[in-house]
């Protein structure tokens, strides 16, 4: 495996997870290709939204600031605009649903975790050659991973609610 360093980009666990507070349109839940170029998502009644750089579940949404930083370095990643409406707070929060490339996890049973955080994933390292930021489907979630240069540019922005930590990507065998 190359000496390239990779980092997980995730929602800061010290903050409330927002995804469970949101009601997504059914077409969005069917997948990126089924959604329109701009979507509106509402908070569920009785729930408040705390704005952060990432909403991870059930759909990975990134803040406009995070999207702009990634797009500046990688302009070819397509995205759709998502407005999250919090009617109780009378607020709007702007996110992007970016169509990050997927790299498969080749051995989910060999994934190493510590305190619920993934430390090592087995992937096809050939698929990583040109990819600067990507998602790895892992059971019912997606792990967003970036090369060191992308992670550093995001850290310089001090994006609220974004946690950046190292991950090991290990060569897996295709089955």
């Amino acid at each position: 495996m190359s000496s390239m360093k990779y980092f997980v980009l995730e929602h800061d666990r010290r903050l409330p997870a927002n995804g469970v507070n949101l009601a997504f349109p059914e077409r969005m839940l069917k997948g990126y290709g089924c959604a329109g170029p701009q979507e509106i998502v509402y908070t569920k009644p009785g729930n408040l939204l705390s704005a952060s750089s990432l909403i991870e579940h059930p759909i990975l949404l990134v803040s406009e600031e995070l999207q702009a930083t990634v797009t500046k370095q990688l302009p070819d990643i397509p995205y759709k605009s998502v407005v999250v409406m919090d009617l109780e707070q009378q607020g709007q929060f702007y996110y992007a649903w970016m169509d990050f490339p997927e790299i498969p996890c080749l051995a989910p049973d060999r994934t190493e975790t510590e305190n619920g955080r993934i430390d090592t994933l087995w992937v096809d390292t050939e698929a990583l050659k040109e990819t600067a930021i990507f998602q790895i489907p892992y059971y019912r979630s997606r792990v967003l991973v970036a090369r060191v240069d992308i992670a550093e540019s995001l850290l310089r922005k001090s994006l609220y609610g974004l946690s950046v930590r190292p991950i090991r990507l290990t060569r897996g065998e295709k089955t």
Side-chain angles (χ1 to χ4, degrees), residues 21-34:
N21 298 337
L22 302 176
F24 287 88
E26 193 64 36
R27 66 186 164 273
M28 285 183 75
L29 297 174
K30 289 181 182 178
Y32 184 86
C34 296

Side-chain angles (χ1 to χ4, degrees), residues 137-150:
Y138 178 69
Y139 291 116
R140 299 171 99 184
S141 65
R142 298 185 174 280
V143 180
L144 185 59
V145 179
R147 274 189 333 222
V148 66
D149 56 324
I150 303 294

Side-chain angles (χ1 to χ4, degrees), residues 1-154:
M1 176 125 195
S2 71
S3 61
M4 179 62 70
K5 295 193 183 298
Y6 292 94
F7 293 83
V8 172
L9 308 176
E10 62 189 359
H11 176 77
D12 187 337
R13 292 182 180 199
R14 296 173 293 184
L15 300 173
N18 286 316
V20 296
N21 298 337
L22 302 176
F24 287 88
E26 193 64 36
R27 66 186 164 273
M28 285 183 75
L29 297 174
K30 289 181 182 178
Y32 184 86
C34 296
Q38 183 171 19
E39 292 286 348
I40 298 176
V41 174
Y42 294 92
T43 56
K44 293 177 182 174
N47 291 291
L48 299 177
L49 183 74
S50 65
S52 68
S53 294
L54 279 176
I55 295 176
E56 292 181 318
H57 302 290
I59 295 171
L60 178 65
L61 301 178
V62 299
S63 68
E64 282 189 319
E65 297 86 4
L66 195 153
Q67 178 266 324
T69 303
V70 170
T71 301
K72 187 174 182 180
Q73 289 187 285
L74 305 166
D76 295 335
I77 296 179
Y79 68 92
K80 297 181 179 193
S81 298
V82 178
V83 179
V84 178
M85 302 289 291
D86 188 333
L87 298 178
E88 290 182 25
Q89 293 184 79
Q90 298 180 350
Q92 297 180 40
F93 303 90
Y94 298 95
Y95 285 89
W97 185 5
M98 298 188 79
D99 193 17
F100 294 113
E102 279 190 14
I103 303 291
C105 178
L106 298 178
D109 55 321
R110 295 175 69 187
T111 296
E112 296 174 21
T113 61
E114 185 176 323
N115 297 327
R117 294 171 60 162
I118 297 171
D119 290 326
T120 303
L121 281 169
W122 298 76
V123 297
D124 176 6
T125 54
E126 292 298 313
L128 299 178
K129 285 187 177 182
E130 301 286 327
T131 311
I133 187 168
F134 51 91
Q135 53 188 339
I136 302 173
Y138 178 69
Y139 291 116
R140 299 171 99 184
S141 65
R142 298 185 174 280
V143 180
L144 185 59
V145 179
R147 274 189 333 222
V148 66
D149 56 324
I150 303 294
E152 284 177 347
S153 67
L154 292 170

